[in-house]
Amino acid sequence: MRDEFERQLALLNEELTTMGGLIESAIANAVKALDGDEHSINKAYDYEKSIDNKEREIESLSLKLLLTQQPVASDLRLISAALKMITDMERIGDQAEDIAEIAATAKKKMLKKSKHIQRMAAATIDMVNKSVEAFIKKDLLIAEEVSHNDDVVDALFEEIVNDLVDIIKKDEGTSEVLDMLMVAKYFERIGDHAVNIAEWVQFSITGEHKRL
């Protein structure tokens, strides 16, 4: 009985790792879309669908483990954290798709419009990568680093807002300003979700959650 539980628990870890890879790819393609790569727009849509499917699979596996097994405290924490993490992962996929949709509508290289958007995109991707890495390695230090890097992303968002104010003052196109503002806001939200994932990784390891 325990052997089967351990097998399913290992599968849960593998599925979460796979979902982490999907969200990383979704964001990478959204960034390429902002730089004018139309092929990446469609790929971002495809990844979002794959992420939704993977969320349902992990949710089903987690509930099966809870209902049919009797997990001890550490295993119960991992399963509970998994159910929370996939919600944030799914939302990251949604927001990557939203960024790609803006890129498709704008049909311009938006990364060139603000010197800070590309830096914000890179910082956000790094946060997501590290949150997934923290889970895979069960590494508290990496998880803590994700939380600290959120301040960097927030500061870049403020810089982008300042850039956009300058553009408005120069009367260089209100629609483009709104597009860039929404892209920056989506990146900020992705960063917030990466922090949530990292905090649930910490919970799965220590049993403590900063916000609970």
Side-chain angles (χ1 to χ4, degrees):
M1 188 75 170
R2 182 67 191 180
D3 288 345
E4 174 61 17
F5 177 70
E6 292 290 350
R7 187 191 69 78
Q8 291 184 349
L9 205 59
L11 178 59
L12 176 62
N13 274 280
E14 291 174 10
E15 294 286 13
L16 280 165
T17 302
T18 299
M19 190 172 181
L22 289 171
I23 63 172
E24 289 172 357
S25 297
I27 300 169
N29 278 279
V31 171
K32 288 180 182 178
L34 288 173
D35 209 20
D37 186 341
E38 293 187 8
H39 178 63
S40 292
I41 295 172
N42 293 327
K43 288 183 72 175
Y45 296 157
D46 292 339
Y47 275 116
E48 196 276 331
K49 292 176 184 175
S50 297
I51 290 165
D52 285 350
N53 291 335
K54 187 59 64 179
E55 180 193 26
R56 286 190 287 271
E57 291 172 9
I58 293 173
E59 186 178 56
S60 177
L61 176 58
S62 298
L63 292 175
K64 180 180 178 182
L65 283 166
L66 289 173
L67 293 172
T68 63
Q69 306 292 334
Q70 293 181 330
V72 297
S74 59
D75 296 333
L76 182 59
R77 288 201 306 268
L78 174 62
I79 298 167
S80 301
L83 287 168
K84 296 291 187 178
M85 288 166 60
I86 59 175
T87 299
D88 283 293
M89 288 180 171
E90 189 274 335
R91 287 175 181 168
I92 288 174
D94 287 344
Q95 283 148 9
E97 182 184 36
D98 290 335
I99 291 169
E101 285 180 354
I102 291 174
T105 303
K107 294 183 179 178
K108 292 180 181 179
K109 295 184 178 181
M110 295 186 66
L111 288 181
K112 308 294 184 185
K113 297 295 181 181
S114 167
K115 60 185 177 182
H116 299 293
I117 281 187
Q118 193 158 12
R119 289 175 58 201
M120 189 178 188
T124 305
I125 290 172
D126 185 60
M127 286 179 67
V128 172
N129 291 347
K130 279 187 168 62
S131 70
V132 175
E133 183 184 0
F135 170 75
I136 294 170
K137 295 181 178 179
K138 303 295 183 285
D139 193 314
L140 289 172
L141 291 177
I142 297 175
E144 283 285 350
E145 190 177 346
V146 175
S147 297
H148 294 321
N149 287 348
D150 191 42
D151 292 336
V152 175
V153 171
D154 289 344
L156 286 168
F157 178 75
E158 293 300 323
E159 293 290 347
I160 290 168
V161 171
N162 292 335
D163 285 349
L164 299 182
V165 169
D166 289 339
I167 291 173
I168 291 172
K169 287 178 179 177
K170 294 175 184 177
D171 195 24
E172 295 180 359
T174 303
S175 62
E176 289 184 20
V177 167
L178 291 175
D179 286 341
M180 283 190 285
L181 180 60
M182 287 305 300
V183 167
K185 192 62 183 175
Y186 285 134
F187 278 128
E188 184 193 35
R189 288 177 183 172
I190 288 172
D192 289 341
H193 289 305
V195 170
N196 289 346
I197 293 169
E199 288 179 349
W200 284 113
V201 170
Q202 292 170 313
F203 171 78
S204 71
I205 298 169
T206 66
E208 297 180 358
H209 191 287
K210 287 184 177 180
R211 303 187 195 184
L212 296 181

